[in-house]
Amino acid sequence: MLSVGSVVIRCSDLERQLLFWTAALDYEPRLPLDDGFALLRPRSGAGPNVSLDAVPSERVLPPRIHLDLYADDQQAEVERLEALGALRVHWPKRPDDADYIIMEDPEGNRFCVVDAAPGAAA
């Protein structure tokens, strides 16, 4: 049997990304921290880990893989993530009735915030 243990995000500034993703997801780092790698795990214990790997790599758009983050209050979460340093990404092909908002972290890694409120499509 296979299961997702961790999603790995490459980054240039490990400390900045550590601060962003722990606050964004309410995750905590596994201690002790490594100079070039950090494994973040959910404080609640449920869900996959997110690992940060300090190996700069070329940014490709559109990305081949991204995170879909489900939110009960999409607008509040988008505003909270913006306060943490995330940016909204405009995509001209996004349907008017889309249930997601495209964002990127402080290093430009893209993710979507999906409306998962009760009764929403997600």
Side-chain angles (χ1 to χ4, degrees):
M1 179 177 100
L2 291 177
S3 63
V4 175
S6 188
V7 176
V8 180
I9 300 173
R10 288 200 167 150
C11 61
S12 298
D13 186 339
L14 182 62
E15 185 175 333
R16 183 176 183 197
Q17 290 294 82
L18 180 67
L19 292 172
F20 175 80
W21 285 107
T22 55
L25 299 174
D26 192 28
Y27 274 34
E28 61 187 6
R30 181 185 65 194
L31 299 176
L33 290 174
D34 186 309
D35 285 343
F37 188 85
L39 185 135
L40 311 178
R41 55 186 172 206
R43 288 183 199 279
S44 68
N49 296 317
V50 172
S51 297
L52 302 173
D53 190 12
V55 178
S57 61
E58 182 180 339
R59 184 173 172 217
V60 178
L61 294 176
R64 294 191 66 168
I65 190 170
H66 68 269
L67 300 176
D68 279 350
L69 306 178
Y70 284 34
D72 288 337
D73 185 340
Q74 182 186 47
Q75 191 57 39
E77 288 298 333
V78 166
E79 291 171 8
R80 186 180 69 82
L81 292 165
E82 286 176 320
L84 294 172
L87 299 173
R88 293 184 199 214
V89 174
H90 172 71
W91 183 46
K93 295 182 180 180
R94 182 178 172 267
D96 291 336
D97 62 348
D99 66 348
Y100 60 89
I101 295 173
I102 303 168
M103 301 190 78
E104 60 185 25
D105 73 13
E107 287 198 4
N109 297 302
R110 298 226 172 142
F111 60 93
C112 292
V113 179
V114 180
D115 185 0

